[in-house]
Amino acid sequence: LDGTIAEQEKPFNKESIGKPIKKAVKLVKTLKEGGARIIIFTVRDNDDLVSKWCKRHGVPFDFINHNPDQPPGSSGKVYADVYLDDRAHNIHDILDAMDA
């Protein structure tokens, strides 16, 4: 959420969420229209705040910090096909670059 579809507020404030990143919101809408399940996975523990923010800014979502298809006995890492995040790197891209 923060830094991905909402502007990162510094310092972090658990009571507010930054302004929407318009291009990111558009991307999430496009993914949802294409049939993707959208799970907002955030460090925030206030699902109500996140839900209200998403609805106010037109960000579609199916779940917040929960995947009903999570494999039994798995960790807290949300099982997904694709992650969109401001801090993510694809390990395979990094490894391929090391070989170049």
Side-chain angles (χ1 to χ4, degrees), residues 61-83:
F61 67 93
D62 296 293
F63 301 97
I64 297 170
N65 289 333
H66 171 72
N67 182 350
D69 297 327
Q70 194 75 3
S74 60
S75 72
K77 180 179 179 182
V78 172
Y79 176 76
D81 292 318
V82 175
Y83 298 94

Side-chain angles (χ1 to χ4, degrees), residues 49-97:
L49 175 70
V50 174
S51 174
K52 286 178 181 176
W53 184 92
C54 287
K55 289 175 183 175
R56 185 176 334 115
H57 297 291
V59 179
F61 67 93
D62 296 293
F63 301 97
I64 297 170
N65 289 333
H66 171 72
N67 182 350
D69 297 327
Q70 194 75 3
S74 60
S75 72
K77 180 179 179 182
V78 172
Y79 176 76
D81 292 318
V82 175
Y83 298 94
L84 301 177
D85 190 75
D86 62 325
R87 299 176 187 235
H89 294 281
N90 184 312
I91 186 65
H92 299 288
D93 292 341
I94 295 168
L95 295 176
D96 289 346

Side-chain angles (χ1 to χ4, degrees), residues 9-82:
E9 292 184 321
K10 293 185 181 182
F12 178 80
N13 180 347
K14 68 178 189 167
E15 302 299 326
S16 71
I17 300 174
K19 295 177 183 177
I21 299 171
K22 291 179 183 180
K23 283 179 147 181
V25 171
K26 183 177 179 180
L27 174 61
V28 173
K29 286 179 179 180
T30 300
L31 292 169
K32 182 66 178 164
E33 289 166 1
R37 177 187 288 175
I38 307 298
I39 299 174
I40 306 293
F41 192 59
T42 175
V43 299
R44 294 176 178 276
D45 65 356
N46 186 337
D47 292 357
D48 189 51
L49 175 70
V50 174
S51 174
K52 286 178 181 176
W53 184 92
C54 287
K55 289 175 183 175
R56 185 176 334 115
H57 297 291
V59 179
F61 67 93
D62 296 293
F63 301 97
I64 297 170
N65 289 333
H66 171 72
N67 182 350
D69 297 327
Q70 194 75 3
S74 60
S75 72
K77 180 179 179 182
V78 172
Y79 176 76
D81 292 318
V82 175

